[in-house]
Amino acid sequence: MGLLKKLFIFVLFLFPLGEVVRINLGNGIVVRPLDIGVGCIVFLWLIFKLKKREGVKQKYILVPILLFSASGIFSLLINSSLSFDQFFASVLYLIRWIVYAGIFFVVSDFDKDFKKRIVNLLLIIGGLTVGLGYVQYIFYTSLKNLFYLGWDEHMYRMFSTILDPNFAAAFFVLFFLFLTSLFFKKKSILIGLLLILTLGAIFLTFSRSALIMLIVSSILLFILMNRKIWIALLLVITFLVLAISSRYFNIENINLFRIVSTEARFETAKNAIRIIQDHPIFGVGFNSYRYTQLRYGLRNDKAKTISHADASPDNSFLFVMATTGLVGFTFFVFLWFRILKHNIKNNPLLTASIVGVFISSLFINSLFYPFIMMWIWIVIAITENK
């Protein structure tokens, strides 16, 4: 376990690299250092398990993970329209989801002392990601020069090393919940300062989905932790920040009432519903959504090579329904139901975090975003009720 712990610490510090370092393997396959690191950890953990001939203790999570994974594989196998390259790329992304889910089992097997150490490490990597966000906001205000690589032209917004303000904001909210929970327990000035900086970072992303996620999940956390006075404080701060920043709403990128992105989200949802209606039971194949859009004429070959937004609709639940059908969607919901059912008592942070990710996933595909996946699975493992 000593080697596994050292590797885990190393991989955690790959997290703040975000999307800055990406390896393009062709055929639409992109690998991050974090993906490689997480894969190595889970593979090494499996070897240790096999050597010791130990079983997995957390059957309540293992069974639905296996069921959803099986539905994903089956949905691909019955999709005869996929070429070998398309099938291979789709399978790799299913493997990636399985590997990130595997982080839960790895962390669950660590002893209590190391789990406490992980809490401190999460403080560091989360703080680094927020800090790099402020550096980016001051010195690198636009992603226009990376448009040719498939990134949207975000300007005057914080996106940190994640290079997308909406996904960055979703992570910031999860980190805010994590910090809030710790602050109530430790009353640390340092954590309090980091809490304020993280809240500021959320506002500077100008992400509407993150604001909804922040308000809903934070209110839930405050209620569960019996800190209801903080609800009023958060709402007042949010109102004041919005009132002050409204003078800049004439700039489209930071206008919270912007229409273009809203219309684009409705369009992706409409396309997903059309595909779901045609493939309701088993879907079109896990992560083969981009190829289905090509067949439906919803995008073209050129868009395939330059956009990071074509692999899924802007909604994780529609993504699951479209790619794995009602069968996969049932197993996916079953997975999160089991997690919440097992942990909803005496686990405010986990409950609020999962609800927050669900809210975010209605607007962006955050349930399948690597950095969100890694964070949420680690939080589940270190806070789960035994």
Side-chain angles (χ1 to χ4, degrees):
M1 272 292 187
L3 176 61
L4 195 61
K5 290 177 180 179
K6 290 177 182 177
L7 181 60
F8 182 79
I9 293 172
F10 173 77
V11 171
L12 276 181
F13 281 93
L14 296 177
F15 189 99
L17 290 177
E19 299 280 3
V20 174
V21 181
R22 292 161 57 95
I23 305 168
N24 193 333
L25 302 179
N27 193 29
I29 302 170
V30 174
V31 177
R32 306 163 187 82
L34 187 67
D35 299 333
I36 298 171
V38 170
C40 290
I41 289 173
V42 174
F43 180 71
L44 187 60
W45 172 81
L46 281 171
I47 291 176
F48 286 154
K49 279 288 185 181
L50 291 172
K51 277 189 174 182
K52 295 181 179 180
R53 296 183 179 179
E54 291 180 353
V56 176
K57 301 173 184 176
Q58 301 80 8
K59 295 289 194 306
Y60 77 98
I61 286 184
L62 177 64
V63 171
I65 284 177
L66 292 177
L67 288 172
F68 177 68
S69 302
S71 69
I73 293 171
F74 183 75
S75 69
L76 286 169
L77 289 173
I78 65 172
N79 189 348
S80 59
S81 62
L82 293 175
S83 68
F84 176 78
D85 288 345
Q86 293 170 346
F87 177 86
F88 180 69
S90 300
V91 166
L92 283 182
Y93 281 95
L94 178 59
I95 292 172
R96 185 185 72 176
W97 182 84
I98 295 170
V99 165
Y100 274 94
I103 279 291
F104 164 78
F105 301 104
V106 175
V107 176
S108 293
D109 274 0
F110 288 142
D111 57 80
K112 289 184 179 180
D113 289 337
F114 190 71
K115 286 182 181 178
K116 290 179 182 178
R117 189 177 178 187
I118 290 174
V119 171
N120 294 327
L121 291 170
L122 292 181
L123 275 174
I124 295 172
I125 67 166
L128 282 173
T129 307
V130 170
L132 289 170
Y134 279 99
V135 172
Q136 165 268 307
Y137 187 74
I138 295 170
F139 297 105
Y140 190 69
T141 59
S142 173
L143 275 173
K144 267 192 168 184
N145 65 318
L146 296 182
F147 179 72
Y148 76 101
L149 292 176
W151 300 105
D152 290 338
E153 299 176 287
H154 297 295
M155 293 184 293
Y156 315 121
R157 301 171 68 181
M158 184 180 290
F159 43 77
S160 192
T161 53
I162 293 176
L163 303 185
D164 185 297
N166 296 308
F167 284 111
F171 168 70
F172 291 158
V173 174
L174 289 176
F175 188 50
F176 176 82
L177 297 173
F178 178 77
L179 290 170
T180 301
S181 178
L182 279 182
F183 180 74
F184 288 149
K185 294 175 183 176
K186 298 187 176 183
K187 299 294 190 299
S188 165
I189 295 176
L190 184 61
I191 293 176
L193 290 173
L194 189 52
L195 191 63
I196 295 170
L197 287 173
T198 304
L199 184 61
I202 295 169
F203 291 134
L204 289 175
T205 62
F206 292 94
S207 170
R208 293 167 296 182
S209 60
L211 283 178
I212 299 171
M213 178 186 179
L214 170 69
I215 292 170
V216 174
S217 59
S218 296
I219 288 176
L220 178 59
L221 180 63
F222 294 146
I223 291 173
L224 293 175
M225 298 192 75
N226 199 25
R227 304 278 181 166
K228 296 177 184 178
I229 188 65
W230 284 72
I231 297 175
L233 180 61
L234 176 66
L235 293 177
V236 168
I237 292 173
T238 302
F239 176 79
L240 289 175
V241 169
L242 293 180
I244 293 170
S245 60
S246 63
R247 69 181 68 180
Y248 303 108
F249 283 178
N250 61 307
I251 302 173
E252 176 66 17
N253 279 276
I254 62 176
N255 181 7
L256 293 179
F257 302 101
R258 52 189 177 272
I259 302 298
V260 175
S261 60
T262 302
E263 291 177 342
R265 282 198 174 107
F266 276 118
E267 187 66 23
T268 65
K270 186 174 72 173
N271 293 340
I273 292 170
R274 177 184 168 188
I275 293 170
I276 291 168
Q277 288 174 336
D278 291 343
H279 307 271
I281 307 301
F282 298 111
V284 296
F286 185 83
N287 205 59
S288 66
Y289 191 81
R290 68 182 68 195
Y291 312 122
T292 304
Q293 289 195 92
L294 283 172
R295 293 200 307 273
Y296 274 67
L298 300 175
R299 46 184 291 273
N300 54 54
D301 288 315
K302 184 179 180 183
K304 176 183 174 181
T305 61
I306 65 171
S307 176
H308 296 310
D310 58 26
S312 70
D314 293 321
N315 183 307
S316 295
F317 301 105
L318 288 179
F319 170 72
V320 174
M321 272 294 293
T323 59
T324 63
L326 184 60
V327 173
F329 183 78
T330 301
F331 292 143
F332 191 69
V333 171
F334 178 54
L335 166 63
W336 292 104
F337 170 77
R338 292 291 293 270
I339 293 172
L340 282 172
K341 182 182 178 183
H342 190 81
N343 292 282
I344 200 166
K345 291 183 179 179
N346 305 316
N347 202 333
L349 172 60
L350 178 54
T351 303
S353 296
I354 291 177
V355 170
V357 173
F358 284 175
I359 296 294
S360 171
S361 295
L362 296 174
F363 305 96
I364 57 175
N365 193 14
S366 50
L367 273 171
F368 291 89
Y369 189 63
F371 300 94
I372 301 295
M373 285 194 293
M374 182 172 183
W375 183 272
I376 202 73
W377 283 117
I378 291 175
V379 169
I380 293 171
I382 63 175
T383 63
E384 66 165 339
N385 293 324
K386 301 297 184 183

